[in-house]
Every structure is written in structure tokens, then in C-alpha cells.
Amino acid sequence: MKTEDEKVAILQFELLKWFSQYGRSFLWREKGLSDYQYIIAEVLLQRTRAETISKFYPSFISTFPSWYSLASARLEDIEESLRPIGLYRQRAARLQKLANEMVSRKGILPKNRSELEAISFMGQYIANAVEQIIFGQPTPLLDVNMARVIERVFEPRKLADIRYDPHLQQLSLKVIQHPLSLHLNWAILDFAALICTARIPKCLVCPINSICLYYKELSKEGKD
């Protein structure tokens, strides 16, 4: 029986190796983007598939290249730009509110966590993304996809909402403590999308099935 620390080390090693060969390539993962470009990508990625946003993102950034352009745009124009991905009713006004706040801050993001989360649209996930991608702090990009991988390998969370489950939060932070934390975050997200899927996961080709509780239970059922 592997200890938790041993399982964390195996997961880190195997998923980074897997990512080096199978990781997805997206514009928002490139170096040299502005804080605005990184944050807009994370906002758009909420509840929308990365492949869908990948096709949409360049045109949106071209139309609204800065916080100021987004803040000063007509709300109807933002809605029209978001229409192809079905987010125009949900996101346009909130995006513009975020842009207005960032313009008032002269584009400067606070490093204090409570101040950061107080900004519009800066829930736990996007605040984590800011800390990891922009500030370079090893912080988990913990969404339902990362949660699924971690829960299957280690154990299910106790609370329905991942934001408030202390063990899942602590474990995800522990998993990401690595010199290549950003790549490890992306590796887990890509792995969840391509291998450890919500329905019909590809367990037989999974590089971490030897430490996965979910796979262990499936194997037991197959023997019964």
C-alpha cells in the first residue's frame, strides 16, 4: 500500500511525462501574454470546453484587446461577441464590470488574496489561476475536472462543493507543490479531458492506474 506522499510523487512524475507527449496546445498557455489576456481566457473557460474557446478566443481578444476597450465597449457589442459560445446573457455584464474595476485599478492585480477575491468574477478558481499563472505561485487550478482525477486516485471528497471541502483543497495544493507546478496543473486538466474522463475513462491506458482507487474498485467488480 502506497502512502499518500508516495502516490503524490508518482502522480506528479507520470502526469508530467504524459503531458510532455500528449498535452494540449492553447494560445492562452503561451508565454508573454498580458494579465488581461490570461484572465479573459480563464473567465471564458468556465463551463465551456477548452476546444470551443480555442477557436473563439483569438477573435474576442482582437475585438477587445485590453481592459479599457472592454470597459468602454457597448454592452450589446460584448453580448454579440459572446453569442457564438452561448455566454452572452450570462457573462457580458459581469465581464464589463470586471473590466471597469480593473481600469479603476490601472490594471494592477492585488497580491492580497482577500482583495483579489473581492474583484468581480474573481472566485476561488480564477484567483487561483491568477496566483499560479501571473504571480507564479504553486496554486491548484481546482475545478471539477482536476477534482475528479484527485478523488479517483486518492478518495472522494466529503462535501458537494469543491470550494469548501478542506481535504480536497489541501490535497490538491499538495499535489501541485512542484517546480513545474503550472505544467502540472495543465497536465492534470488535460489528463482529465483526454484520459480520466467523467464518462467511460480510459483506465486501461492510464499511466497512474496502479495507484488509482477508482481503478482498483473497477477491477474488483470485474472479478466478482
Side-chain angles (χ1 to χ4, degrees), residues 5-166:
D5 286 348
E6 288 172 333
K7 291 178 75 170
V8 166
I10 292 169
L11 183 148
Q12 291 172 333
F13 177 80
E14 292 294 344
L15 290 196
L16 281 171
K17 185 170 71 171
W18 176 88
F19 182 71
S20 69
Q21 185 172 358
Y22 301 108
R24 298 176 296 180
S25 177
F26 296 120
L27 177 59
W28 55 84
R29 291 182 177 179
E30 295 181 4
K31 293 181 179 179
L33 272 64
S34 67
D35 292 356
Y36 167 78
Q37 291 170 324
Y38 285 127
I39 293 172
I40 289 298
E42 294 300 334
V43 169
L44 295 175
L45 285 165
Q46 288 189 315
R47 300 184 182 88
T48 309
R49 293 177 68 251
E51 288 78 8
T52 300
I53 297 302
S54 181
K55 298 173 185 176
F56 168 82
Y57 179 73
S59 64
F60 187 86
I61 290 297
S62 177
T63 304
F64 306 107
S66 66
W67 290 123
Y68 179 79
S69 64
L70 191 58
S72 59
R74 294 191 316 151
L75 184 59
E76 294 82 357
D77 291 338
I78 301 174
E79 290 177 343
E80 190 60 32
S81 291
L82 292 172
R83 191 177 296 275
I85 54 173
L87 298 179
Y88 59 102
R89 295 188 186 279
Q90 305 166 334
R91 302 289 170 90
R94 292 181 66 196
L95 259 177
Q96 191 161 54
K97 184 179 179 182
L98 167 61
N100 278 309
E101 288 185 35
M102 290 305 300
V103 167
S104 70
R105 289 176 168 274
K106 297 181 170 53
I108 299 173
L109 291 159
K111 292 195 174 182
N112 177 278
R113 180 64 186 227
S114 59
E115 287 182 39
L116 186 60
E117 287 198 20
I119 298 173
S120 295
F121 242 130
M122 289 285 178
Q124 184 184 97
Y125 181 86
I126 294 182
N128 281 5
V130 168
E131 288 186 337
Q132 172 67 83
I133 299 170
I134 297 174
F135 296 157
Q137 299 174 11
T139 311
L141 302 182
L142 182 60
D143 64 359
V144 294
N145 300 298
M146 179 180 284
R148 181 172 65 252
V149 174
I150 292 174
E151 288 181 87
R152 283 177 173 173
V153 172
F154 296 94
E155 61 181 331
R157 64 182 182 269
K158 303 297 188 295
L159 303 179
D161 194 324
I162 63 178
R163 295 173 298 175
Y164 304 115
D165 188 287

Side-chain angles (χ1 to χ4, degrees), residues 207-221:
I208 55 172
N209 61 20
S210 64
I211 59 167
C212 180
L213 287 182
Y214 178 84
Y215 180 68
K216 185 177 180 181
E217 291 302 315
L218 280 184
S219 299
K220 282 182 181 178
E221 291 174 11

